[in-house]
Structures are given as structure tokens and as C-alpha cells.
Amino acid sequence: MPRASSKKGSSSSTTSASTMDLFRSASGKAASKELDRIDQLFYTYANNLSGLIDPEGIEALCSDLEVKHTDIRILMLAWKMQSEKQGYFTLDEWRKGLKSLRADTLQKLKKALPELEKEVRRPPNFVDFYAYAFRYCLTEEKQKSIDIESICVLLDLVLGSQFRLQVDEFIQYLKIQSDYKVINMDQWMGFYRFCCEISFPDLRNYDPELAWPLVLDNFVDWMTEKHS
């Protein structure tokens, strides 16, 4: 009896192993097909010469997704891919982003955009996205700051829906002041912290003795004078 039982157990193990092998094989084939579809979608928009999706390809993608190329969700898509160069997607970046979104067709990508926006809006993710948005706009090698005009556009796009009043006032200040021609990452991140922490527009809890970037001290002085 023990021998028969042993054989039965062995047979059961073999069957179980075979089932697992079949499952792995099926999963592998499904993943391979998904990747093929993701690649196929990439080459629909990629430039044949560069092998990249370039600004023209991104415009075509936006058109097919029925969103403007200035829509914040396109910047969110770039964040999801961790795209390194503004206006360009590599195949590896595209694969990373679309696999994460489980979007291997245009329709699935279109449906994924609202969920992507919800994901980005979660506070820990948004801080990362906000910093990424600045880095993404550094288009030259060793560039560390962004011109005021571009910063105003970026602020409106990235923070406008959350902190409308703060963004509008800060943009107005940046456009009329003459001390700053560019904004750096420290100032950019400082403004987000300002929006999250400071009572606005009364500014009652703003303490200039704390480590705020000087541009924000100047902004607060301007606001105080304006409303006094």
C-alpha cells in the first residue's frame, strides 16, 4: 500500500507540474503577444529614420487619442514612461509606460488616461510628477533653469487646476518683476510647498525667517503691498 500511495503522489506531482508549465507557457505567450501589440502601436507613430516617436508622432497620437498636445495627461503619460527627452519617446520608454498601464491598443490607452490622472493626483505621486515636469522641460545639456515665460505656461498646466488663485497671482508677479529671468528647481519646488502650506491670500502663516527661496519672499512682499 505505501508503494502504491507513493506512485499516486508522484503522479499527482507530475500532473501539477505539467499544469504549471502549461500555465507559464500560456502566460509567456500572452505577454509576448501583448508586447508585440505595444511595439506595433509604437511603430504606428515612430519616425522611420530615427526610430523614435518625435513631436510630429506625438501630435498624431494626441489626435488619435482626441486630446490636445498641451493636455496635462500627455505630460503624465511622459512621466509614466519616464521619458528623458521632451517631445520624444523611445521604444523602451513606450514599453515601460504602456505595460504599466496595461494598454496594448489605442482604445485601451485612451481609457487608461483618466485612471493615469487619478494616479498622478495622489499626493506622493504628484510631488514626483511636479519635479519631473520641471526636469522634462530642461531641453539643453547641463541646463538647470527655465525661462520665466515657459515657467508661467508650465505652472498653469501643472498646478492651475489645484491652486488657481496662487498660480494666477504668482504668474502675474513673475511677468511684472525684473529680478529673475529664470527659475531653478529649488524655486520651483518651493512654490509647490508654498501652495500646500501657506494660507492664501492672507499669507498669515508665512514666515520669511524660514528657508523659503528669495523669489517667494519677494512675491509675498509684492502681494502684501498690492493688498494693503
Side-chain angles (χ1 to χ4, degrees), residues 1 10-12 26 31 87 91 99 102 116 130 135 140 154 157 169 194 205 222 228:
M1 283 297 288
S10 174
S11 171
S12 174
L91 179 58
K99 276 178 78 176
R102 295 181 179 175
L116 172 61
Y130 183 76
R135 291 194 305 271
E140 304 296 324
L154 194 60
L157 177 69
E169 291 283 8
F194 175 91
N205 62 335
W222 176 80
S228 63

Side-chain angles (χ1 to χ4, degrees), residues 12-213:
S12 174
S13 297
T14 305
T15 305
S16 178
S18 300
T19 305
M20 283 303 295
D21 288 344
L22 282 169
F23 177 74
R24 284 197 194 101
S25 175
S27 297
K29 283 175 184 171
S32 177
K33 283 182 179 176
E34 181 192 38
L35 194 58
D36 286 346
R37 288 191 292 270
I38 287 172
D39 287 4
Q40 193 177 343
L41 192 57
F42 176 84
Y43 288 113
T44 304
Y45 301 102
N47 181 305
N48 290 334
L49 292 175
S50 67
L52 302 170
I53 295 180
D54 58 15
E56 196 176 320
I58 290 176
E59 275 210 38
L61 173 65
C62 291
S63 177
D64 290 345
L65 289 171
E66 298 177 323
V67 296
K68 292 180 180 177
H69 70 278
T70 53
D71 192 303
I72 191 171
R73 288 171 297 179
I74 299 305
L75 183 57
M76 289 173 174
L77 185 59
W79 170 80
K80 193 69 174 173
M81 294 183 195
Q82 286 301 292
S83 170
E84 289 188 7
K85 188 177 181 186
Q86 189 183 52
Y88 294 86
F89 298 149
T90 68
L91 179 58
D92 282 346
E93 289 166 352
W94 180 264
R95 282 174 171 174
K96 179 180 181 177
L98 268 68
K99 276 178 78 176
S100 181
L101 292 169
R102 295 181 179 175
D104 57 3
T105 66
L106 187 70
Q107 278 309 109
K108 285 182 185 175
L109 182 55
K110 195 173 180 179
K111 284 182 180 176
L113 290 181
E115 287 305 313
L116 172 61
E117 184 165 11
K118 282 182 192 172
E119 179 189 343
V120 173
R121 296 285 181 198
R122 291 185 200 118
N125 291 339
F126 190 80
V127 175
D128 188 67
F129 169 72
Y130 183 76
Y132 171 82
F134 184 91
R135 291 194 305 271
Y136 192 60
C137 290
L138 300 174
T139 53
E140 304 296 324
E141 197 176 344
K142 295 184 179 177
Q143 183 182 346
K144 292 196 187 310
S145 53
I146 299 172
D147 66 274
I148 293 296
E149 188 180 345
S150 300
I151 277 291
C152 290
V153 173
L154 194 60
L155 278 171
D156 188 53
L157 177 69
V158 176
L159 277 188
S161 63
Q162 283 176 267
F163 300 104
R164 182 77 273 160
L165 188 57
Q166 290 94 322
V167 168
D168 283 349
E169 291 283 8
F170 192 51
I171 285 175
Q172 189 185 343
Y173 167 71
L174 288 175
K175 285 182 175 177
I176 61 101
Q177 59 79 41
S178 56
D179 296 325
Y180 300 91
K181 298 276 190 279
V182 295
I183 293 293
N184 62 31
M185 175 66 99
D186 183 54
Q187 294 162 333
W188 173 257
M189 296 307 295
F191 182 66
Y192 178 62
R193 185 184 140 219
F194 175 91
C195 289
C196 293
E197 294 179 12
I198 300 304
S199 175
F200 201 87
D202 60 65
L203 306 165
R204 66 178 181 273
N205 62 335
Y206 186 84
D207 183 355
E209 297 301 314
L210 297 179
W212 293 103

